[in-house]
Amino acid sequence: MKLIIENLSKSFENKKVLENVSYEFDKGIVYALLGRNGSGKTTLFSLISSQLEKDCGKAYIESDGKKIELSPKNLFFMNSTPKLPNFLTGREFIKFFVEANEDKIDGNISIDQYFKMVNFDLEDSNKLIQGYSTGMKNKIQMMMFLIIKPLVILMDEPLTSLDVVVQLEMKRLIRQIHEDHIIIFSTHILTLAKDLCDEIVLLHDKKLERVDRKIINEPSFEDEIIRLLSDDNY
């Protein structure tokens, strides 16, 4: 199974952000998406998830030679700044989310089990979301994709500003589930990309380019990535 992007383009007024972007992402691989500020990483995710209208191009899943349209059922976009209903407790929201997605859920897992999967304190689950830290809100988002088990998971800077314990918990969870999903992980943290991801893809000069795996294991990895992202001809 693959996520296929074909000739995606997007401009804002007179500024072209992405131009005929094409790439294939395989199931079972965690991809790091690296790029400089303003390179279009969030825009790319928003186009794939249809939160932004494409100027041209398409994105779809291919399985056994068949094209599958991307929809909320098979794609989850995890935002860096989670937008959750502050007037609900974490437990109330997850209960609502489970009930709203009953047709997509396989198995019979309790609400408490979902909270335990992401090491979320059960006492905190009964507190209002408005009092949650960014890390706690990101754990709620992770519960959401654990519940619906989408084919594609887009993660936009999900570990930014999290303490080291929460980062480690989330990294372990991603590695535990990665074989069943196509995971693309946007980050500015080079060590995180190297430690967590199987493949590194650069978004540079409006295009996507794969980084040679040999570079990832070199001592000069960080310097080489910086060079590639600074090279106008790459």
Side-chain angles (χ1 to χ4, degrees):
M1 186 178 70
K2 297 181 179 182
L3 168 65
I4 298 179
I5 298 170
E6 290 183 357
N7 301 315
L8 278 187
S9 296
K10 184 65 181 178
S11 297
F12 295 98
E13 296 181 350
N14 295 323
K15 182 179 180 182
K16 187 167 285 188
V17 179
L18 301 172
E19 185 174 14
N20 296 323
V21 172
S22 296
Y23 207 86
E24 294 186 2
F25 297 93
D26 291 307
K27 179 182 176 182
I29 295 178
V30 181
Y31 293 88
L33 178 64
L34 301 181
R36 302 183 71 171
N37 287 337
S39 62
K41 298 186 298 298
T42 300
T43 298
L44 177 64
F45 282 174
S46 298
L47 293 174
I48 294 172
S49 60
S50 296
Q51 293 187 13
L52 272 179
E53 186 176 350
K54 307 170 184 67
D55 291 348
C56 66
K58 55 187 175 181
Y60 58 90
I61 296 170
E62 184 178 273
S63 180
D64 297 326
K66 297 180 180 179
K67 293 183 179 180
I68 303 172
E69 182 181 356
L70 285 167
S71 68
K73 180 179 180 178
N74 52 36
L75 182 144
F76 187 88
F77 183 3
M78 184 175 177
N79 292 280
S80 57
T81 52
K83 296 179 181 178
L84 300 171
N86 289 327
F87 57 88
L88 294 178
T89 67
R91 180 175 295 276
E92 288 170 339
F93 174 70
I94 291 300
K95 183 175 183 294
F96 166 79
F97 188 79
V98 168
E99 291 173 351
N101 291 279
E102 283 182 334
D103 59 326
K104 307 172 190 174
I105 299 172
D106 295 324
N108 186 24
I109 299 176
S110 70
I111 299 295
D112 279 356
Q113 284 177 291
Y114 284 120
F115 280 100
K116 289 176 182 177
M117 283 181 187
V118 297
N119 291 326
F120 199 107
D121 189 281
L122 294 181
E123 184 177 337
D124 288 336
S125 72
N126 294 308
K127 297 178 181 178
L128 289 177
I129 291 174
Q130 67 181 8
Y132 285 1
S133 66
T134 301
M136 293 167 74
K137 290 179 179 178
N138 274 324
K139 284 187 174 185
I140 292 290
Q141 287 195 102
M142 294 192 84
M143 274 188 274
M144 292 167 71
F145 66 67
L146 287 172
I147 290 167
I148 60 174
K149 298 180 180 177
L151 299 176
V152 179
I153 301 173
L154 308 177
M155 309 180 79
D156 190 11
E157 297 284 351
L159 303 188
T160 302
S161 302
L162 303 184
D163 67 56
V164 292
V165 174
V166 177
Q167 281 193 25
L168 183 59
E169 290 173 349
M170 293 180 75
K171 285 164 65 176
R172 285 175 175 169
L173 182 57
I174 291 167
R175 292 310 305 178
Q176 287 171 9
I177 68 170
H178 79 281
E179 291 185 358
D180 297 321
H181 305 275
I182 299 166
I183 299 177
I184 311 174
F185 189 105
S186 167
T187 182
H188 285 104
I189 306 171
L190 295 183
T191 52
L192 180 61
K194 184 176 182 179
D195 294 344
L196 178 60
C197 301
D198 306 301
E199 297 277 359
I200 294 178
V201 182
L202 301 187
L203 180 52
H204 179 60
D205 195 25
K206 309 177 188 66
K207 304 285 187 182
L208 288 176
E209 297 285 348
R210 177 181 174 274
V211 174
D212 191 324
R213 287 193 180 190
K214 294 179 181 178
I215 294 176
I216 299 174
N217 298 317
E218 291 292 329
S220 59
F221 164 73
E222 293 188 4
D223 291 335
E224 186 64 15
I225 293 297
I226 291 170
R227 184 189 70 77
L228 292 172
L229 289 175
S230 302
D231 187 350
D232 291 337
N233 296 316
Y234 181 70

